[in-house]
Structure formats: C-alpha cells, structure tokens
Amino acid sequence: MTEKPEELQERLTREIATELQAELDHPLTEADWARIKEAVKERLRAELARRAAEAAKPKETEEYFVRFSFNVRAQHFVLAVGVLLLIFTGLPIKFHESAWAKYFFHVISLELSRLLHRVGASLLIGVGIWHMLYLLTAEGRREFRELLPRPKDLFDFLQNIKYLLGLSRERPKFGRFSYIEKFDYWAVYWGMVIMIGSGLLLWFHNLALGLFPKYVLDIAREAHSDEALLATLAIVIWHWYNAHFNPSVFPMSTTIFTGKISKKRMIEEHPLEYEQLMASSSPSPSEGEESRGEERAEAEQS
Ligand code: HEM
C-alpha cells in the first residue's frame, strides 16, 4: 500500500533527523530542525511529483489468452464444491472415534452430515454425466484429444526430474496440457469409478444386499474408505500444490475461475501451445471463449 503524504512526511522527518544527528556531536538545535524541515519539504515535493507522474503514465496493457470455456469452468466449480463437501462429511465418518470428528458431529449432527454427503454425491454423479455429454461436443472432443497420454509425456516427466535435480538446465516444453495436468484429469476418472461405484452400494445397501453377497459390500466400504483418503491426499498434495502453492502461481491460479491466462504464463507454462497459436493466428481479436480453435491473444487493461 502506498504511504499517505502525512505518513511519508513523518518518515522523512525521522530519517533526515537521524542522518543529521549522526553527523553532529551535539543534540539537535532549533536551527538544525529548521534545516530538517526544509530538507523534508524538498524531498516530499520530489516524491509527490514522482508519484503524480507515475499515476499519469498510461497503464501497461497485458495480453491474455482464453484457456477454459465457461462450460469447463462451471464443471470444475461443481466438481470442486461436490468433492469438498464429500471430504468434509466423509472423513469424520472414517475417523469417527477421534476428538475432532466427535466435535464435528456435535456441531453438525450425524444426520445432517450424512444428508450433505448424499448432496455431494449427487453433485459428483451429476457433473460426471455432464462431462460425458460435454465430451460429445466438438469442444469436448478437441479437449479430450489434447488430454490423451502420449510418449512425449513420459519424456517430459523424465526431463522435468532432471531439471528439478539440477542435472539439466532445460525445462520440458509443454503443449496445451502438461503431464501434470493430464494426471490430474485421469485421476478423477479412476476416483469417480471407485467412489461412485462403492458409494452407490453403501447408499442403497438393502438393494445391494439382495443382489450381491455381503462380502461385496464389505469390500465396497473398504475401497470407499481407503480411496477417500487417497483422493483427499492427492487433491491436497498434488492438485493444490500445482494449482495453488507452486511458487509460480502462489497464492493461486485464477485461470480455472476466469478462464484467462496471461501471455507471460502461457509462454512459460505452455510454450508449444503458444507457438502453435501464434503460427495459426492472424492478428484479429478473440471471437469468443467457446471457440478455442480461433483463440487469439486478447489485449486487456491490467
Ligand atoms: C470424493 C468423493 C468421496 C469421498 C472423499 C467420500 C468419503 C467417504 C468416507 C471417508 C466415508 C466413510 C467410510 C468409512 O466408513 O470408513 C464415506 C461413507 C459413505 N459415502 Fe462417501 N465419499 C465420496 C463419494 C461418495 C459418493 C459418490 C457416494 C454415493 C454415490 C458416497 C456415499 C457414501 C455413503 C452412503 C457412505 C456411508 C456412510 C453413510 O451412510 O452416510 N460417497 N464416504
């Protein structure tokens, strides 16, 4: 935050008085204070003039690229809300004997917590169906192709390890999705199958007991319980590190909420996609966020 003029004046007075006092071998006299006042006035005037010139400068423009359509952002939002709800209401059941879980159920009753777990489950199932339908659209198919694992991902992974260990100075060059982002995407498929499959068996256990032997339900509960912990750790350690705590984006990347990525981050994090877009684009402005194929750099006031 910029200092207010009164605060600035106070600081300058303190600094100049200390500087002068260091040069003198006697306490500051009235004449010294008059000198200090003059010097403060001069430095204050210069500083305020510098600030005014700075403010009058035209704001630098920063270019942004549209990275995610509204559809993708909305899917991610529902998925995030659903999963957080499931984690917050599921883990206290798993660790029901611990003090924090008992306190949780004291604040939010067990009944409400179980109800919220089913609300979260419905959101997760809903967004899963939504995503399958999205994959039938042209945009969905295009994004899916980009997310398919390729041999290059393995080489990128090895190169990144070398880079991070200081054995190479070259970072791998990623395209639209890095192997890290692809891993995030495919881990959700695995998690969805296990959690929805076992969760439905637990939810409709009477019906399930009529269809399968009891040990199937026991396996479902074990799988649900263990995969829940694995999913929570994967989200907190892998996903949140890459999207939030990684120093290059800390405190968080807002791209999944705004859909936009700065040109600087685009060049650093997706250089191959950037080069491809530049090679295929003419300088006309972006024609809308749904059309990634015709995506262009958008100039915006930062
Ligand atoms: C990220 C997703 C999910 C997480 C992290 C999660 C977490 C958990 C955990 C930790 C438990 C306690 C298991 C135990 O007894 O040790 C649990 C129970 C349960 N979960 Fe989930 N779950 C998820 C998704 C789902 C889904 C999709 C459904 C339903 C389709 C579901 C339905 C249930 C049911 C019915 C129970 C039994 C407890 C009760 O009756 O309330 N869960 N969940």
Side-chain angles (χ1 to χ4, degrees):
M1 226 171 70
T2 332
E3 266 176 321
K4 288 185 195 145
E6 314 86 76
E7 290 167 349
L8 178 64
Q9 183 172 5
E10 237 173 73
R11 182 169 61 81
L12 288 174
T13 310
R14 245 189 344 263
E15 281 174 12
I16 295 172
T18 315
E19 273 167 30
L20 189 62
Q21 182 65 85
E23 287 169 18
L24 302 172
D25 52 5
H26 58 79
L28 295 173
T29 61
E30 243 175 70
D32 294 328
W33 277 109
R35 275 174 63 196
I36 292 168
K37 223 169 139 187
E38 273 311 303
V40 169
K41 239 198 240 168
E42 214 166 286
R43 289 209 359 215
L44 190 63
R45 207 179 303 129
E47 175 59 19
L48 293 179
R50 190 195 63 77
R51 283 189 192 177
E54 185 78 16
K57 258 202 231 159
K59 279 218 171 100
E60 273 186 25
T61 56
E62 190 169 0
E63 279 182 82
Y64 283 92
F65 285 81
V66 175
R67 178 155 171 78
F68 297 122
S69 68
F70 177 74
N71 194 326
V72 169
R73 277 136 60 197
Q75 285 180 52
H76 180 271
F77 183 76
V78 176
L79 180 68
V81 170
V83 168
L84 285 178
L85 202 54
L86 286 160
I87 290 175
F88 281 121
T89 54
L91 291 187
I93 300 178
K94 183 173 171 65
F95 299 107
H96 59 274
E97 283 186 354
S98 59
W100 62 266
K102 283 185 183 138
Y103 180 72
F104 178 83
F105 289 129
H106 173 71
V107 178
I108 295 185
S109 66
L110 176 64
E111 289 70 32
L112 179 60
S113 178
R114 294 180 70 204
L115 175 71
L116 289 176
H117 200 76
R118 281 152 178 78
V119 172
S122 307
L123 287 177
L124 196 69
I125 295 170
V127 79
I129 297 171
W130 177 2
H131 189 67
M132 290 301 119
L133 294 174
Y134 168 75
L135 291 184
L136 299 176
T137 66
E139 181 193 301
R141 288 200 304 274
R142 197 167 55 222
E143 292 288 55
F144 187 79
R145 274 197 301 275
E146 295 282 353
L147 281 157
L148 288 173
R150 297 208 161 75
K152 180 182 180 305
D153 296 317
L154 182 63
F155 294 122
D156 284 352
F157 166 71
L158 296 173
Q159 182 58 34
N160 212 17
I161 297 286
K162 271 173 62 192
Y163 172 76
L164 294 172
L165 291 176
L167 301 174
S168 164
R169 285 169 168 252
E170 226 176 287
R171 284 177 64 184
K173 282 177 114 189
F174 299 126
R176 175 150 177 75
F177 296 112
S178 66
Y179 71 88
I180 298 169
E181 290 157 326
K182 290 183 184 184
F183 183 86
D184 255 342
Y185 178 76
W186 289 102
V188 177
Y189 273 83
W190 158 262
M192 288 273 228
V193 171
I194 303 281
M195 295 316 282
I196 295 177
S198 57
L200 284 176
L201 289 176
L202 296 178
W203 191 344
F204 303 104
H205 56 274
N206 284 337
L207 180 68
L209 277 174
L211 293 171
F212 310 105
K214 185 179 169 295
Y215 70 82
V216 172
L217 251 86
D218 293 339
I219 294 173
R221 179 170 291 279
E222 205 49 51
H224 198 82
S225 185
D226 291 348
E227 173 66 23
L229 197 58
L230 183 68
T232 307
L233 292 176
I235 291 168
V236 174
I237 298 173
W238 180 266
H239 183 65
W240 285 4
Y241 174 76
N242 288 309
H244 299 271
F245 308 129
N246 185 327
S248 70
V249 290
F250 187 81
M252 72 182 287
S253 160
T254 53
T255 303
I256 198 65
F257 301 106
T258 62
K260 292 190 292 185
I261 184 169
S262 68
K263 182 176 169 184
K264 184 172 168 282
R265 274 191 59 209
M266 186 76 170
I267 293 170
E268 272 170 18
E269 295 170 27
H270 307 282
L272 296 182
E273 184 190 15
Y274 175 77
E275 281 165 21
Q276 216 177 2
L277 280 172
M278 287 301 104
S280 66
S281 73
S282 60
S284 65
S286 171
E287 278 156 26
E289 29 180 65
E290 306 304 327
S291 55
R292 250 201 40 66
E294 296 96 51
E295 191 176 38
R296 303 281 186 273
E298 264 183 17
E300 288 213 351
Q301 290 284 347
S302 61

